[in-house]
Amino acid sequence: MIPYGRQSLDQADIDAVVAVLQSDWLTQGPTIERFEQAMAARCEAGYAVAVCNATAALHIACLAAGLGPGDRLWTTPNTFLASANCGRYCGAEVDFVDIDPLTWNLDANALALKLEAAERDATLPKVLVVVAFSGQSCDMQTIGTLAERYGFTVIEDASHAVGASYAGRPVGCGEFAAMTVFSFHPVKIITSAEGGMVLTNRPELAERLRRLRSHGMTRDPAQMTEPSHGPWYYQQIELGFNYRITDLQAALGLSQLGKLEGFIARRRELAARYDRLLADLPLTLPSAQPGAQSAWHLYVVRVQLDRITLTHREVFEALRAAGIGVNLHYIPVHLQPYYREQGFTEGDFPEAERYYAQAISLPMFAALTDEQQDYVVEQLRRTVG
């Protein structure tokens, strides 16, 4: 089975983890800070805060933005559950903005119209989670302008987009978002086995993010309510969480970061090959967002069902039967039972629903060989050609 995504590890990654195992620090040690500093430097960001996974990163980013009960978070329906759930963890209401029919990212034009209506109704969002779907940023310049006008905080969920760029700068630099979240799950661009990170340029956000990932505790006397009792003393000054990453994970992530440029180059090569090899098939191929350079976490095609005799599911299952581990990213979040209970239903976000009825994620990972990719194309051609 050729999977849709997988990690690429080598002996250097293994040696990095073993070195930590043989050190004095397995967690809360210096490797975490080195990983954070290296990622911040790579992304041209002021601060980076590593946590146990990207869902935790989204959660504390929302809290750092001040999201709470009575507030609203908006995001795209074409994403993993965590992009919406992070708002619910904070007690906020969640709503969605439909996707662009070309890029399959949150539609900035639909956002502008929805904001106009929300301003009239006094229902503006406090936080907008924009998702760099498949590794490609949204129209962040337009979204940044809208954020300034309407006063909401932009969190870019760039879980797919480590190594991507937008407007000539790395995703994560913070030019158009207050905070950026990365994921280091094994199928992502680089991995720390599990892990996530929040990047920001605002020192007050970084300080609170660090506190929130570790039980809301501080050892800073300036933040305490009374003088320190001694060198051992700490205070919990707010409700936080145990969202810490380990030095083992940070060592793997740091080692992987050194290979990022090669991973991205190979993914872009594979995407260009797919573009060439699939151009004549009854498929809609990915479209570029102007100014964005994708990291190509995913390569998604949409089956033009009006041009073939098979159903979407039949195409998907034929590829699986041929040993190709295709997947589907994503089921529209608003159609999940939990969100239906919040009042959402079919037809609320028609573009995301049309996308879901046609989309298939093809194998895309740095170790995918040309021969494996040719086999994927051959089987797809036999199925829909």
Side-chain angles (χ1 to χ4, degrees):
M1 179 70 72
I2 303 172
Y4 86 87
R6 71 182 308 274
Q7 69 273 14
S8 295
L9 303 179
D10 62 14
Q11 190 61 45
D13 297 319
I14 296 169
D15 291 345
V17 175
V18 171
V20 170
L21 284 169
Q22 295 173 335
S23 77
D24 293 332
W25 295 92
L26 299 186
T27 189
Q28 295 179 265
T31 308
I32 296 168
E33 187 173 355
R34 289 201 296 270
F35 184 30
E36 292 171 335
Q37 290 174 344
M39 185 61 75
R42 171 59 178 77
C43 297
E44 301 175 9
Y47 307 91
V49 179
V51 292
C52 55
N53 55 59
T55 301
L58 285 166
H59 184 193
I60 62 173
C62 287
L63 290 171
L67 189 71
D71 295 327
R72 295 172 181 83
L73 176 146
W74 292 2
T75 190
T76 170
N78 185 33
T79 187
F80 186 58
L81 306 170
S83 306
N85 288 351
C86 58
R88 297 297 297 149
Y89 298 157
C90 299
E93 296 179 19
V94 170
D95 201 353
F96 303 92
V97 180
D98 212 350
I99 64 172
D100 184 292
L102 296 178
T103 66
W104 314 330
N105 261 326
L106 184 146
D107 187 336
N109 294 322
L111 173 64
L113 293 173
K114 187 163 184 142
L115 287 166
E116 288 180 10
E119 186 176 45
R120 290 193 301 270
D121 299 338
T123 57
L124 285 168
K126 187 162 191 173
V127 168
L128 178 72
V129 174
V130 291
V131 177
F133 174 72
S134 78
Q136 176 172 251
S137 287
C138 299
D139 181 357
M140 295 300 292
Q141 288 182 308
T142 298
I143 290 169
T145 299
L146 292 169
E148 290 181 5
R149 176 178 173 183
Y150 290 100
F152 57 84
T153 297
V154 177
I155 298 172
E156 185 171 18
D157 182 350
S159 294
H160 296 182
V162 177
S165 64
Y166 178 80
R169 297 191 65 195
V171 170
C173 70
E175 185 171 1
F176 302 106
M179 288 170 279
T180 302
V181 167
F182 288 141
S183 170
F184 307 122
H185 183 276
V187 298
K188 299 302 196 303
I189 310 298
I190 63 173
T191 186
S192 61
E194 279 281 8
M197 191 173 286
V198 189
L199 278 68
T200 185
N201 291 327
R202 302 181 189 177
E204 73 280 4
L205 290 178
E207 181 180 273
R208 188 159 189 230
L209 289 165
R210 292 191 185 104
R211 194 166 62 236
L212 285 165
R213 77 172 168 188
S214 190
H215 304 282
M217 297 189 322
T218 184
R219 295 181 184 273
D220 181 359
Q223 297 182 25
M224 293 182 182
T225 59
E226 61 181 87
S228 174
H229 298 179
W232 65 86
Y233 193 60
Y234 60 84
Q235 284 189 347
Q236 179 189 347
I237 61 174
E238 63 178 318
L239 181 63
F241 307 88
N242 185 356
Y243 282 170
R244 295 185 296 252
I245 194 172
T246 68
D247 282 62
L248 299 172
Q249 293 165 302
L252 178 56
L254 185 58
S255 177
Q256 287 263 295
L257 183 57
K259 295 182 267 288
L260 177 60
E261 307 309 324
F263 289 165
I264 294 293
R266 178 55 178 163
R267 285 173 178 272
R268 287 175 176 166
E269 181 182 343
L270 289 166
R273 288 192 90 239
Y274 270 138
D275 287 347
R276 293 194 303 272
L277 297 171
L278 301 176
D280 63 330
L281 294 182
L283 303 170
T284 301
L285 305 184
S287 294
Q289 169 66 47
Q293 292 290 320
S294 180
W296 291 107
H297 165 54
L298 300 173
Y299 189 93
V300 180
V301 298
R302 291 175 66 166
V303 181
Q304 296 174 2
L305 297 170
D306 58 336
R307 295 178 57 193
I308 65 172
T309 58
L310 298 178
T311 66
H312 178 224
R313 179 169 180 170
E314 287 170 339
V315 173
F316 189 99
E317 291 181 341
L319 294 171
R320 281 278 182 96
I324 302 168
V326 290
N327 212 328
L328 205 166
H329 302 87
Y330 287 100
I331 305 166
V333 179
H334 70 284
L335 297 182
Q336 294 292 344
Y338 175 82
Y339 285 96
R340 287 179 183 268
E341 291 176 1
Q342 312 301 314
F344 297 103
T345 190
E346 285 92 347
D348 284 347
F349 305 99
E351 197 59 53
E353 293 169 29
R354 279 190 289 271
Y355 164 89
Y356 171 60
Q358 302 168 340
I360 297 177
S361 298
L362 302 181
M364 172 58 80
F365 50 95
L368 185 70
T369 66
D370 287 0
E371 293 74 20
Q372 288 174 315
Q373 188 180 36
D374 289 342
Y375 177 75
V376 172
V377 171
E378 175 191 353
Q379 295 302 315
L380 193 51
R381 186 175 296 278
R382 286 184 178 181
T383 304
V384 305

